[in-house]
């Protein structure tokens, strides 16, 4: 089966400094992979690189075109639009009409007409995750998806995720929390941390570090 | 051996270190010759009197003010297409030099305009164009200063330089359209009859060459500084993480 | 692209969207100028084209920093960058939304403000025409400036410094068209040049805008 995402010898930089290097990665349809590692190891940087928001410092990324749905820390919600309007906008941008089903899937149907600014942090997060469903894209790149979700909502989201995988989707999830998703593989990022030599005398005349 | 080899920072540092004393020395010698010749060894003009001598600063400064922007445009294009860091840093280094030449052209123009036109400032198209050019330099430098990440700053200022060049050119035509002006024609016009006399033209040529060398020397020196600053920044960032 | 345009219009019209602020600013400028230069009708009529155009320029400037900054803050800009619409289309839609909420109201209010500044009656048509043709360029150029400064903490002042010099050709031809029209002279030439600048800016600047956003999202 062709993988949805494959990366070879990937290196990522943040603020001009290498953080990850030598990373190989493959995600087949139906697979989920949890990214783990201490704060600052480069989880967000890796996800942004895979989403195409920043170029890799080295290596190649192979992904099916228009396959990636990225969910960042921020949910991209407009406070003055209602939950349904927010989701409807993203559905229209992605050319789908799954907004109603997505609201129901994350238990938000009752809040559809509430302005997003009036939602609690957990409800906003659920709305942000519902956006993934309306994109209709197979590869989900999730950055700490369960932040500010309660136990019931985490279980709910795991169910949504499982459904997505069953439909042939895949997910790469940066998280510290337990996802209630035992079938997901785990990728520990710490071994791929870029090894930076300490600065020595001869370095100054080299090209830029 | 390709020309692009000089885009390697290390190679550039080596070559420019050897070149800089010669360029700076030639610029100083050229300026000394041109200014002494121009200021003390030329006759008074029959209409403009002694004030005509300001031409030996005004015209070369104005010429380099425009050429500096053109050089920035070329350097920005090279950076955007070929990603040579030296090119981006050279564009950054040239901007303040170009801005000062613009300022010199404006100030000497005002000093010249006072006795000739009876006013320090007139909204003449040429003067206005230079004032606008000054604003473009100001914005370009401000953007370099505002963006922290050096590659990001290089990209954004590069795009601004491209767009700005088009609008600077449009402004020039707009300003011509807006006011026909009282500035004399180009000082080195090729049209017969309008030409300056040879006694003025020769020292002016020397002055122009000297200003060009001065520009080159300043840009080389500033580019070297920028490269060193950039290296220092990279090393400090690395040391903090390692 | 249509969805984005509609969303931006809806956001502008909801409370706190800032719709109408630019128009109010335009009106205040038109009230302050006579208070500053004196009430003589002839003087006002003489400077009205310039004041109206400078006022339109400044009112446009006022709302520029909101174009991308809000989307950047709440994360929408990153999500839009990964969406199927190209960023060039996002840039064009943003400029169009800015024009519809800022430029178009100015065009509509211009005849009234022209009366306040004693603009001769024969100049009113030229004023409306020049603003209608010129303000889209102001929005397109401003969107480009907003994209350049979207990554900066306090980009507002820098944005004005970058954008105002780019506004010069538009201002010159726009004000010239009104001034000639008000004086009863043929004004088609500056108006056509203005239209040319607008056409060029609207067609080409979205590419520069998208490039700047890509750099800023890196």
């Amino acid at each position: 089966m062709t993988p949805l995402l494959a990366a070879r010898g990937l290196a990522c930089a943040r603020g001009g400094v290498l953080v990850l290097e030598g990373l190989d990665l493959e995600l087949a349809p139906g697979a989920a992979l949890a990214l783990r590692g201490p704060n600052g190891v480069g989880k967000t940087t890796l996800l942004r690189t895979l989403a195409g928001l920043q170029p890799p410092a080295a290596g190649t990324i192979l992904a099916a075109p228009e396959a990636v749905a990225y969910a960042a820390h921020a949910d991209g919600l407009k406070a003055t639009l209602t939950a349904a309007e927010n989701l409807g906008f993203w559905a229209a941008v992605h050319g789908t009409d799954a907004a109603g089903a997505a609201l129901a899937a994350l238990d938000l149907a009752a809040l559809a007409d509430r302005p997003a600014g009036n939602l609690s942090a957990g409800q906003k997060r659920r709305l942000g995750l519902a956006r993934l469903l309306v994109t209709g894209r197979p590869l989900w790149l999730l950055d700490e998806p369960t932040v500010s979700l309660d136990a019931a909502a985490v279980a709910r989201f795991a169910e949504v995720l499982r459904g997505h995988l069953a439909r042939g989707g895949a997910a790469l999830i940066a998280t510290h929390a337990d996802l209630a998703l035992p079938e997901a593989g785990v990728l520990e990022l710490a071994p791929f941390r870029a090894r930076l030599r300490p600065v020595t005398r001869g370095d100054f005349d080299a090209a830029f570090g | 051996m390709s020309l692009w080899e000089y885009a390697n920072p290390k190679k550039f540092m080596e070559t420019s270190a050897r070149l800089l004393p010669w360029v700076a020395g030639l610029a100083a010698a050229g300026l000394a010759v041109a200014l002494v010749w121009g200021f003390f060894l030329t006759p008074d003009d029959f209409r403009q009197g002694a004030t005509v001598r300001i031409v030996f600063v005004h015209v070369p400064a104005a010429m380099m003010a425009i050429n500096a922007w053109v050089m920035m445009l070329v350097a920005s294009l090279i950076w955007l297409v070929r990603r040579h860091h030296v090119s981006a840093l050279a564009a950054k280094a040239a901007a303040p030099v170009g801005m000062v030449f613009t300022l010199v052209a404006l100030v000497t123009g005002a000093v010249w305009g006072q006795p000739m036109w009876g006013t320090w400032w007139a909204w003449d198209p040429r003067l206005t164009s230079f004032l606008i050019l000054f604003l473009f330099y100001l914005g370009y430098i401000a953007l370099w200063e505002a963006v922290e990440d050096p590659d990001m700053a290089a990209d954004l200022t590069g795009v601004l330089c491209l767009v700005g060049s088009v609008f600077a050119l449009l402004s020039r035509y707009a300003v011509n359209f807006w006011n026909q002006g009282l500035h004399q024609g180009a000082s080195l016009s090729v049209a017969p009859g309008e030409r300056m006399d040879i006694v003025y033209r020769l020292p002016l040529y020397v002055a122009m060459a000297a200003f060009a060398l001065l520009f080159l020397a300043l840009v080389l020196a500033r580019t070297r500084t920028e490269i060193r600053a950039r290296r220092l920044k990279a090393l400090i960032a690395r040391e903090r993480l390692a | 692209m249509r969805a984005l345009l509609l969303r931006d219009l809806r956001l502008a019209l909801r409370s706190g969207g800032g719709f109408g602020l630019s128009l109010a600013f335009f009106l205040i400028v038109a009230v302050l100028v006579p208070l500053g230069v004196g009430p003589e009708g002839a003087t006002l009529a003489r400077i009205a084209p310039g004041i109206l155009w400078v006022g339109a320029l400044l009112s446009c400037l006022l709302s520029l920093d909101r174009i991308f900054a809000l989307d950047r803050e709440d994360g929408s800009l990153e999500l839009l960058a990964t969406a199927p619409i190209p960023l060039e289309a996002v840039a064009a839609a943003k400029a169009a939304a800015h024009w519809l909420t800022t430029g178009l109201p100015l065009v509509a209010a211009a005849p009234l403000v022209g009366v306040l500044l004693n603009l001769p009656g024969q100049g009113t048509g030229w004023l409306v025409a020049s603003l209608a043709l010129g303000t889209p360029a102001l929005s397109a150029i401003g969107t480009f400036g907003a994209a350049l400064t979207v990554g900066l903490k306090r980009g507002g002042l820098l944005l004005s410094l970058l954008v105002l010099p780019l506004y010069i050709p538009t201002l010159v031809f726009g004000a010239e068209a009104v001034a000639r029209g008000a004086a009863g002279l043929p004004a088609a030439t500056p108006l056509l040049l203005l239209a040319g600048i607008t056409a060029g800016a609207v067609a080409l600047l979205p590419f520069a805008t998208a490039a700047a956003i890509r750099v800023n999202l890196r």
Side-chain angles (χ1 to χ4, degrees):
Chain A
M1 201 160 21
T2 47
L4 276 172
L5 174 76
R8 297 267 169 277
L10 193 63
C12 312
R14 182 179 54 219
V17 179
L18 218 56
V19 287
L20 288 170
E21 62 183 354
L23 189 72
D24 291 320
L25 188 72
E26 207 172 281
L27 266 183
L33 192 59
L35 294 176
R36 288 187 193 274
N39 286 333
V41 75
K43 295 190 290 290
T44 299
T45 309
L46 175 61
L47 288 179
R48 285 176 54 86
T49 309
L50 291 173
L53 286 168
Q54 60 179 76
T60 52
I61 300 172
L62 291 171
E66 310 263 296
V68 173
Y70 173 56
H73 289 281
D75 292 314
L77 301 176
K78 293 291 174 192
T80 50
L81 298 183
T82 66
E85 283 170 335
N86 266 304
L87 218 49
F89 163 66
W90 289 112
V93 164
H94 286 271
T96 66
D97 52 0
L103 279 174
L106 280 145
D107 212 4
L108 288 162
L111 303 170
D113 294 324
R114 191 92 75 80
N118 289 353
L119 298 179
S120 76
Q123 289 165 337
K124 276 185 196 156
R125 188 79 240 200
R126 265 149 64 200
L127 188 52
L129 293 172
R131 192 188 59 83
L132 292 166
L133 287 169
V134 307
T135 61
R137 290 185 164 183
L139 179 59
W140 289 1
L141 302 180
L142 310 175
D143 200 350
E144 300 288 356
T146 52
V147 166
S148 64
L149 292 185
D150 59 23
V154 171
R156 186 96 192 183
F157 176 62
E159 213 172 286
V160 169
L161 205 52
R162 221 167 265 136
H164 175 67
L165 299 178
R167 285 190 300 275
L172 191 61
I173 309 149
T175 184
H176 293 289
D178 184 26
L179 278 174
L181 203 70
E183 66 270 37
V186 171
L187 178 65
E188 187 62 51
L189 281 184
F192 300 102
R193 203 195 283 256
R195 272 168 298 279
L196 298 166
R197 291 180 298 113
V199 177
T200 53
R201 265 192 85 79
D203 283 357
F204 190 73
D205 287 330
F208 307 119
Chain B
M1 163 146 169
S2 133
L3 184 65
W4 297 115
E5 208 166 292
Y6 294 98
N8 174 315
K10 198 169 171 195
K11 182 84 185 159
F12 176 85
M13 288 304 270
E14 284 166 12
T15 315
S16 61
R18 262 181 287 128
L19 224 53
L20 188 55
W22 291 99
V23 177
L26 272 174
L31 275 179
V33 170
L35 295 183
V36 170
W37 186 355
F39 285 171
F40 302 108
L41 306 174
T42 51
D44 283 3
D45 184 76
F46 75 97
R47 264 183 306 154
Q48 305 201 358
T51 54
V52 73
R53 295 198 174 102
I54 211 163
V55 80
F56 301 114
V57 179
H58 179 72
V59 169
M63 176 189 84
M64 288 322 294
I66 295 169
N67 287 354
W69 185 276
V70 174
M71 183 232 126
M72 278 159 52
L73 173 62
V74 173
S76 301
L77 272 172
I78 293 176
W79 158 250
L80 289 176
V81 175
R82 300 206 46 150
R83 317 298 291 175
H84 293 309
H85 285 91
V86 172
S87 185
L89 293 177
K92 181 184 186 188
V97 183
M99 188 171 85
V100 169
F101 278 130
T102 314
L103 201 62
V104 168
L106 281 170
V107 169
T108 52
V111 172
W112 198 0
Q114 219 294 319
M116 286 303 107
W117 306 332
T119 171
W120 293 104
W121 181 258
W123 286 96
D124 163 90
R126 276 180 189 240
L127 272 66
T128 312
S129 304
F130 269 84
L131 197 57
I132 293 169
L133 183 62
F134 184 74
L135 296 179
F136 275 100
Y137 273 120
L138 215 60
Y140 179 85
I141 294 169
L143 188 60
W144 260 113
E145 293 305 317
V147 183
E148 237 169 77
D149 182 271
D151 278 357
M152 214 186 252
D155 278 330
L156 293 175
T157 51
V159 174
L160 176 68
C161 190
L162 292 193
V163 174
S165 302
V166 175
F167 278 89
L169 213 59
L170 280 175
S171 303
R172 177 84 180 95
Y173 286 110
V175 164
N176 265 341
F177 182 85
W178 162 80
N179 184 351
Q180 307 307 326
L182 38 87
H183 196 287
Q184 65 196 58
S187 299
L188 290 173
S189 147
V190 278
E194 278 285 303
R195 280 178 103 166
M196 273 180 142
D197 192 88
I198 190 83
V199 283
Y200 298 116
R201 235 183 318 139
L202 277 181
L204 184 54
Y205 287 144
V206 179
M208 287 163 86
F211 266 69
L213 283 170
L214 174 65
F215 172 74
L216 188 62
L218 289 174
V219 170
L220 278 179
R222 287 185 50 86
T223 309
R224 289 170 60 78
T225 312
E226 292 291 346
I227 289 175
R228 288 187 174 129
R230 177 69 198 266
R231 282 180 174 162
L232 215 53
K233 207 172 167 177
L235 290 183
I236 288 170
R238 217 172 81 191
E239 193 159 57
R240 207 176 287 144
L241 277 183
Chain C
M1 193 175 162
R2 213 176 115 245
L4 180 61
L5 184 62
L6 288 177
R7 181 194 71 153
D8 272 16
L9 291 179
R10 194 181 274 166
L11 282 172
L13 293 174
R14 290 272 159 94
S15 61
F19 179 73
L21 280 181
S22 305
L23 189 58
F25 179 82
F26 188 49
L27 277 172
I28 289 173
V29 169
V31 172
L32 289 184
V33 167
L35 291 175
V37 301
E40 296 86 10
T43 315
L44 284 178
R46 169 84 190 72
I47 62 172
I51 299 300
L52 285 164
W53 257 95
V54 171
L57 219 81
L58 295 179
S59 338
C60 258
L61 201 64
L62 215 57
S63 48
L64 286 183
D65 58 344
R66 298 175 64 99
I67 295 182
F68 291 119
L70 298 180
D71 279 343
R72 161 96 182 184
E73 270 165 35
D74 64 23
S76 313
L77 198 56
E78 282 190 344
L79 301 180
L80 279 172
T82 57
I85 31 176
L87 265 181
E88 285 77 6
V90 171
K94 285 278 176 186
H98 180 262
W99 182 72
L100 287 173
T101 52
T102 311
L104 196 59
L106 291 185
V107 176
L112 184 75
V113 183
V115 170
L116 281 180
L117 288 173
N118 201 26
L119 184 76
Q122 55 186 350
T124 307
W126 293 106
L127 175 65
V128 174
S130 73
L131 281 177
L133 281 175
T135 45
L138 298 185
S139 291
I141 297 167
T143 308
F144 168 64
L148 280 181
T149 54
V150 67
L152 303 176
K153 289 270 174 337
R154 273 180 293 278
L157 204 58
L158 180 65
L159 176 59
S160 319
L161 185 64
L162 295 181
V163 164
L164 282 176
L166 300 177
Y167 276 175
I168 289 170
T170 317
L171 167 70
V172 168
F173 291 127
E176 189 72 18
V178 184
R180 289 191 182 184
L185 299 167
T189 312
L191 204 63
L192 287 175
L193 288 167
L194 184 65
I197 287 178
T198 300
V202 169
L204 298 178
L205 276 178
F207 294 94
T209 309
I213 297 175
R214 272 192 202 102
V215 172
N216 266 321
L217 281 180
R218 229 158 42 198

